[in-house]
Amino acid sequence: AQSVTQLGSHVSVSEGALVLLRCNYSSSVPPYLFWYVQYPNQGLQLLLKYTSAATLVKGINGFEAEFKKSETSFHLTKPSAHMSDAAEYFCAVSDKSYGGSQGNLIFGKGTKLSVKP
Amino acid sequence: GAGVSQSPRYKVAKRGQDVALRCDPISGHVSLFWYQQALGQGPEFLTYFQNEAQLDKSGLPSDRFFAERPEGSVSTLKIQRTQQEDSAVYLCASSLERGYAYNEQFFGPGTRLTVL
């Protein structure tokens, strides 16, 4: 069975500083991995996804993530934080119990990012 | 174009009441998912539809939960005899094709249910 662990329920950075949000996964099969962002009172929005092509994935709003099989990690980074990045971020793995034919997601508990001026 | 919409956005129910939560997916999307997000947690899968067929309901927490999508578009999640532990945000998501594991899911804003 797949699972996701996000280290740190709350991360605080200064504006302009590096953003690093950690995600580790557990999967017995090659995973599909996703990062979603949730702004207050809004639905989740896809930032980026890994589907076994390039290990470095670039997403929207300047975010990127690197798939590292040896570390079972998929950490999210952004070189320079902006105030508008303050939100909650969720890492997810696609449930492959059905051989990849269904697609429901298994989410981590989320990391709330605060950006200080 | 319009995204996924959900109604109501907020619902307060007394314990024991029945509630119905509506999801309007993006037009033409084949797959529809319901998730439950408890406070401080990530979303958890409830059920999956491919068009009008409910192919997976393994995540529904009890037989008080029921979902339908009779014409393959709008979906309703019904909770009978609500309990306090049902308080959560209920999220609906749709995707264009049948639920391949790599497909992007588009999420609605959710319905926040509070059971008193």
Side-chain angles (χ1 to χ4, degrees):
Chain A
Q2 290 89 28
S3 66
V4 169
T5 302
Q6 292 184 243
L7 297 176
S9 59
H10 194 183
V11 170
S12 182
V13 300
S14 297
E15 192 172 19
L18 171 71
V19 175
L20 171 60
L21 304 182
R22 299 178 186 274
C23 173
N24 288 87
Y25 69 90
S26 172
S27 178
S28 58
V29 296
Y32 295 139
L33 295 160
F34 304 78
W35 274 100
Y36 280 85
V37 61
Q38 187 175 36
Y39 297 101
N41 297 316
Q42 295 187 28
L44 285 84
Q45 179 183 9
L46 181 68
L47 279 177
L48 48 81
K49 64 180 179 180
Y50 167 76
T51 57
S52 75
T55 57
L56 182 63
V57 181
K58 294 187 183 298
I60 61 171
N61 301 338
F63 285 93
E64 63 182 36
E66 186 172 8
F67 172 72
K68 292 187 176 180
K69 183 178 179 180
S70 61
E71 299 177 8
T72 61
S73 68
F74 190 56
H75 301 330
L76 182 70
T77 60
K78 182 174 180 177
S80 177
H82 192 271
M83 297 295 290
S84 61
D85 295 328
E88 189 154 22
Y89 293 78
F90 292 92
C91 182
V93 63
S94 192
D95 187 349
K96 287 191 170 182
S97 302
Y98 302 87
S101 64
Q102 182 162 297
N104 48 290
L105 297 170
I106 299 167
F107 287 88
K109 292 188 175 183
T111 298
K112 191 165 290 187
L113 176 65
S114 301
V115 182
K116 299 175 291 187
Chain B
V4 178
S5 62
Q6 293 186 246
S7 61
R9 291 294 311 278
Y10 303 91
K11 177 70 179 176
V12 178
K14 292 183 178 179
R15 190 163 58 96
Q17 280 185 329
D18 298 348
V19 298
L21 312 180
R22 177 187 169 107
C23 171
D24 283 82
I26 295 172
S27 178
H29 277 199
V30 168
S31 292
L32 187 144
F33 303 82
W34 283 98
Y35 294 86
Q36 180 190 58
Q37 186 176 16
L39 190 64
Q41 303 294 318
E44 292 190 358
F45 169 74
L46 293 177
T47 187
Y48 165 64
F49 289 87
Q50 188 180 115
N51 295 308
E52 69 279 2
Q54 188 176 21
L55 299 187
D56 184 359
K57 51 184 180 179
S58 63
L60 296 177
S62 77
D63 58 8
R64 296 185 295 104
F65 286 71
F66 171 76
E68 61 183 4
R69 192 185 186 199
E71 298 179 357
S73 55
V74 170
S75 177
T76 303
L77 177 66
K78 298 179 179 179
I79 309 173
Q80 298 176 325
R81 305 181 304 281
T82 52
Q83 303 294 315
Q84 285 190 321
E85 62 263 29
D86 300 334
S87 295
V89 175
Y90 291 86
L91 297 169
C92 174
S94 69
S95 65
L96 179 60
E97 300 171 326
R98 54 173 274 202
Y100 292 114
Y102 50 77
N103 282 353
E104 177 180 358
Q105 294 182 26
F106 296 84
F107 283 80
T111 295
R112 182 178 297 277
L113 173 65
T114 303
V115 181
L116 303 176

